[in-house]
Amino acid sequence: MENNKMTELELKIEKWLENEQFVAFANKRMNNVLLNKRHPIDPMFEEMDEGFDEEDEYVVPMVEYLSSRLHKAKLCKNRRKREKELWWVWYEIAMQGIYIKVFNCYYENLVEELRLEIMPMLYREYMQLQKKSKM
């Protein structure tokens, strides 16, 4: 059952990505998060991130910690808190840059799971803006 839902969601995401206006909105929104938002510092994550700069062995606990933050966000019933936490995880992954590709075997499931959470959020925001602009 879960796999069918994911497949349906992936098909929806593919369809959304065919819409150039949505893609432009999503890119702008993600850039806004990267450039303009201040994210709270998480001391535990910062410690792992600093350790990762010196030793690659920190990649596993870092990915596990990001996964736990993602899962915690998914369980949050308050939409604003959930979205804030999802954006935090997305931001930290985006800041990892090239390491995501270098250590893809560790990050790929996390990145895909996060994508399946972020894309519907972005689409909902996009549709709300579309409705407001038609008024």
Side-chain angles (χ1 to χ4, degrees), residues 29-45:
R29 177 71 169 89
M30 288 183 205
N31 283 332
N32 184 38
V33 170
L34 284 174
L35 301 174
N36 300 324
K37 289 246 178 167
R38 292 189 180 249
H39 295 273
I41 295 173
D42 180 330
M44 191 171 182
F45 181 78

Side-chain angles (χ1 to χ4, degrees), residues 66-127:
L66 289 169
S67 291
S68 73
R69 292 281 301 251
L70 172 62
H71 294 147
K72 179 181 159 191
K74 289 170 65 173
L75 292 172
C76 188
K77 297 198 187 297
N78 182 306
R79 193 183 97 213
R80 287 186 182 170
K81 287 181 182 178
R82 178 178 58 251
E83 290 179 0
K84 182 179 177 184
E85 189 73 10
L86 288 170
W87 280 120
W88 185 91
V89 174
W90 182 86
Y91 176 85
E92 292 302 341
I93 288 175
M95 291 292 98
Q96 296 302 312
I98 190 69
Y99 295 117
I100 299 297
K101 291 183 181 181
V102 172
F103 296 104
N104 186 48
C105 62
Y106 299 107
Y107 279 101
E108 79 179 320
N109 291 337
L110 171 62
V111 169
E112 180 60 18
E113 187 176 356
L114 183 60
R115 183 180 79 88
L116 293 174
E117 294 298 321
I118 293 286
M119 293 306 288
M121 226 167 64
L122 286 169
Y123 192 73
R124 184 176 54 250
E125 287 181 32
Y126 171 73
M127 293 306 292

Side-chain angles (χ1 to χ4, degrees), residues 45-55 58 62:
F45 181 78
E46 289 298 313
E47 184 179 334
M48 283 184 270
D49 193 36
E50 287 174 17
F52 183 58
D53 289 341
E54 296 172 17
E55 296 183 43
Y58 277 80
M62 213 160 77

